[in-house]
Amino acid sequence: MNPTYIYRFVRLFLVIGIVALCAITIYYTSKVTYPFIIGLIIAFMINPLVDFFEKKTRMPRSLSVFAALILIIAIFTGLIVLLVSEIVSGANYLARVVPQHIEVLIDYTEQFIGTQIIPMYHQFTTLFNNLEAGQQDTIMENVQNAGKNIGTTVGDFIQNFFSNIPIIIGWFPSAATVLIFSLLATFFISKDWYRLRRLASRFTPNKMKQSGSKIFEDLRKALFGFIKAQLTLISITTIIVLIGLLVLRVEYAITIALVAGFVDILPYLGTGAVFVPWIIYEVIAGEMNLAVGLGVLYIVVLVQRQIMEPKILSSSIGLDPLATLVALFVGFKLIGFLGLIVGPVTLVIINTLHKSNVFTDIWSFILGKNKEY
């Protein structure tokens, strides 16, 4: 065999081994260091704000970091308080009207059972009595098996639900610990941000430093672009829902619009988690005008989300709309809701590596310096 091909295979397996080793190392290391990874990401995101405080107010770096964290926490706390207050006011309204809605549902259920279920039951009983004994036994056996399966499924669900309650309760102290360590890591990493960058720069080769700098900058733009895109999409949904509910003269339109905008980030369900049950109830209650209006509003929200999401994401993170759509779908299919974030970020990393000629350099290394094919 030609020695050139042998060397190429050796270099190819060397590259594959290095990549696999790095991936395995990152995976197992991240399982025990994720609070500090979260702190690094938060420090990375708030660094422009910290720099702004440091330059404009002449405060020490540590005080600038502290002020930035306090400001961000205050903003999130204010948004949560606003949302909770709206939800509480909406809950008080629901406490007044829900009993009326329940009475409507009960009346509808009684009417449905009397006009549909009972006549159907009588017809089924007549047909069943006219069957042969063997056919009756087969039907009863199938009904019993179906009942057992339903009972087993419901029992397993209830058992799993109650067995997971201690796990969920035990999660809160762990989450609080992770939050504290993440905030502390954010403070110290952000405070020494540029010192850590210089330290990392000393141990990084020039070629890798140039490629890494470009990748880092593109990832920063993509990350902020992705957050901006999601906030833009949620804001558009909230505004459209608010305007539609005001036109339909729905009470507590602000609360419902905020909830609809919040659940809009859920994959597949989205605003349907709010509108579909609501539309069904209005149809049952006989409020056809409101049901039709809500249906039209839901279709408008759904269409604008499907049209705007690829365009806004692609313009915000600098990717082709079709590639962004594929990345969103593949990411969601592979790892669920988190894939909606990981998918576009992975696409950005691949695109950035391609622009930085990283793949070309690796291919040149595999083929040898003479780049023979």
Side-chain angles (χ1 to χ4, degrees), residues 2 8 35 43 45 60 165 167 193 203 247 292:
N2 192 328
R8 289 177 180 177
M45 295 176 62
I165 290 178
I167 299 175
W193 180 263
F203 299 97
V247 171
V292 171

Side-chain angles (χ1 to χ4, degrees), residues 71-287:
L71 177 61
I72 293 172
I73 293 173
I75 291 174
F76 275 101
T77 303
L79 292 175
I80 292 173
V81 169
L82 175 63
L83 181 61
V84 169
S85 63
E86 288 292 334
I87 292 176
V88 168
S89 61
N92 292 330
Y93 168 74
L94 291 176
R96 296 194 304 269
V97 301
V98 163
Q100 302 173 3
H101 293 172
I102 292 177
E103 290 180 3
V104 172
L105 288 175
I106 291 174
D107 293 338
Y108 176 81
T109 303
E110 292 176 349
Q111 183 180 2
F112 179 78
I113 292 175
T115 58
Q116 302 292 331
I117 301 299
I118 293 178
M120 188 181 299
Y121 171 76
H122 290 311
Q123 293 177 3
F124 176 77
T125 303
T126 303
L127 292 174
F128 182 78
N129 292 329
N130 293 330
L131 295 175
E132 298 178 359
Q135 294 174 330
Q136 293 180 1
D137 293 338
T138 301
I139 292 176
M140 291 302 298
E141 184 179 354
N142 291 330
V143 170
Q144 290 175 358
N145 291 333
K148 290 179 180 178
N149 292 332
I150 294 173
T152 302
T153 303
V154 173
D156 291 340
F157 173 77
I158 294 174
Q159 182 180 1
N160 292 330
F161 175 78
F162 284 104
S163 63
N164 287 328
I165 290 178
I167 299 175
I168 296 173
I169 295 175
W171 177 81
F172 286 101
S174 176
T177 303
V178 171
L179 178 62
I180 292 172
F181 274 94
S182 298
L183 289 176
L184 290 175
T186 300
F187 177 80
F188 289 112
I189 291 173
S190 183
K191 182 175 71 71
D192 298 328
W193 180 263
Y194 293 103
R195 185 181 67 83
L196 294 174
R197 282 187 60 178
R198 289 192 297 270
L199 183 63
S201 178
R202 294 179 185 175
F203 299 97
T204 306
N206 291 330
K207 180 65 178 177
M208 187 181 297
K209 191 186 303 182
Q210 294 174 0
S211 300
S213 176
K214 181 173 177 55
I215 294 171
F216 183 82
E217 184 63 23
D218 287 349
L219 284 178
R220 185 185 67 82
K221 293 180 180 179
L223 179 61
F224 284 103
F226 183 82
I227 296 174
K228 177 184 175 183
Q230 291 298 328
L231 292 177
T232 301
L233 290 170
I234 292 173
S235 300
I236 293 174
T237 298
T238 302
I239 292 172
I240 292 176
V241 172
L242 178 60
I243 294 174
L245 295 180
L246 291 175
V247 171
L248 295 173
R249 299 180 183 276
V250 175
E251 294 188 71
Y252 291 93
I254 296 177
T255 302
I256 299 173
L258 289 174
V259 173
F262 178 76
V263 301
D264 192 39
I265 63 176
L266 298 175
Y268 289 147
L269 293 178
T271 52
V274 174
F275 279 100
V276 172
W278 192 2
I279 293 171
I280 293 174
Y281 170 79
E282 297 300 340
V283 171
I284 293 174
E287 299 289 339

